[in-house]
Amino acid sequence: MPELPEVEVTRRCMTAMLQGRAVRALRVYEPRLRWPVPRTLGATLAGRSLQRIDRRGKYLLWRFEHGVLISHLGMTGSWRVYRDGQAPERGPHDHVDISFDAALARLTDPRRFGALLWHAAAKGGVEGHPLLASLGVEPLDPGFDGMQLYLATRRRSASIKQVLLSGDAVVGVGNIYASESLFDAGIDPRLPARRLGPIRCARLAAAIRRVLGEAIDAGGSTLRDYASADGAEGQYALQARVYGRDGSDCPVCGRPIRRIVQGQRATYWCARCQRR
Ligand SMILES: [Zn+2]
């Protein structure tokens, strides 16, 4: 599943290749994504210039003067951008092509849990869209710090790992990054979130920013095949220290990394380095 770093890398690649370009045409080969692609989307976008691409959580927000194209990659989606004439023949899972002046953006999504929706400027700011309105704070924004995390977890008796995954205290910290951040901060993933004090919240917030930042710098790592938006095949570039490494030696203390299941998701951690 594409995680926040992959979406951010996609955003950066697409921005570099598409910002300021006008849409020539939209071709929808399969409108049945998580929600139907609007029938009028082609007419809405034709001739309009893409001003900027922002990200909110794992949503990409393609900003045009008259509204915002909201896209989500779901479980298996990816965007690739090709220069004119370089796109390969369309495959069975390529559902949407947006052709711009001198470039083509193609949405591929085998399982079709992704989304492509339009939010007209006349309806107000896109932040108020039902899909975006309740998202937690962005982990890479200056507003996210230990105090914010401390205040957001005071009433949460669930484990800190599960609270991170729930996305309401902070958005976009997926399963890999939750394990890695908790290891980095030296916090037992089973600890009830409300028992974290301000100092450990500060350490965890810093760890989340560091781990996500490293993954973005590494080109949006993931444990499965991933293709970045410019068409280059991605690599598993993040050096995971605990995730997927049960039985291996902890890189800090040398004891075996453990695997447990929390809320049906695997957690990897070191029982010596991570404390309650
Ligand atoms: Zn250890």
Side-chain angles (χ1 to χ4, degrees), residues 250 253 270 273:
C250 168
C253 74
C270 173
C273 294

Side-chain angles (χ1 to χ4, degrees), residues 4 64 90 104-105 120-121 140 158 168 174 197 234-235:
L4 185 148
F64 294 83
R90 193 177 66 84
L104 176 83
L140 302 176
D168 44 17
Q235 309 263 326

